[in-house]
Amino acid sequence: MMSIEPPPAHVLPLPTAESSGDELFRMGLLYSTGQGGAPVDYVSAHMLFNLAAMRGSVEAKVYRKELSQEMASEDVAEAQRAAREWLAHG
C-alpha cells in the first residue's frame, strides 16, 4: 500500500541579523494579522515591530504602539524580552 504524505508545512520567513526594518515590519504584519499562513501571535508581532522600529521603520513604531494597547502588559514585556534576546543572539 502506498502512503500519502501530507504536504510540507508552510514555512514562514524568520528574521536574520541582516533583515532590514522593512523586512522585519512585513514579518510583524504576518503575525499580527495571520496573513500568509502565519498564526496570529501578538507577542511575536510586537517583537518584530520593535526590531523593525529599531532599524528605522516608522510604520513599525505606529503598529507596535497600536498593538501594545491591545496586549496585556505581561505579553508586551515578553515581546520586549524576546527582542532583546534576538539582538543578543541574532
Side-chain angles (χ1 to χ4, degrees):
M1 179 183 271
M2 197 165 112
S3 67
I4 300 174
E5 294 183 29
H10 182 73
V11 178
L12 296 170
L14 297 174
T16 65
E18 294 81 29
S19 295
S20 70
D22 288 338
E23 291 169 330
L24 292 164
F25 171 71
R26 285 192 296 274
M27 287 182 226
L29 283 177
L30 293 176
Y31 285 102
S32 67
T33 62
Q35 294 177 4
V40 174
D41 180 348
Y42 287 169
V43 172
S44 293
H46 188 285
M47 178 198 82
L48 290 162
F49 289 149
N50 197 25
L51 295 168
M54 293 174 69
R55 296 216 171 157
S57 173
V58 176
E59 289 176 301
K61 291 179 184 180
V62 173
Y63 278 71
R64 179 186 61 194
K65 182 178 179 182
E66 290 177 5
L67 188 60
S68 67
Q69 293 172 350
E70 297 182 28
M71 296 171 66
S73 59
E74 299 85 17
D75 290 339
V76 172
E78 181 182 345
Q80 291 170 337
R81 276 191 301 277
R84 284 192 299 273
E85 285 181 27
W86 186 86
L87 287 170
H89 300 103

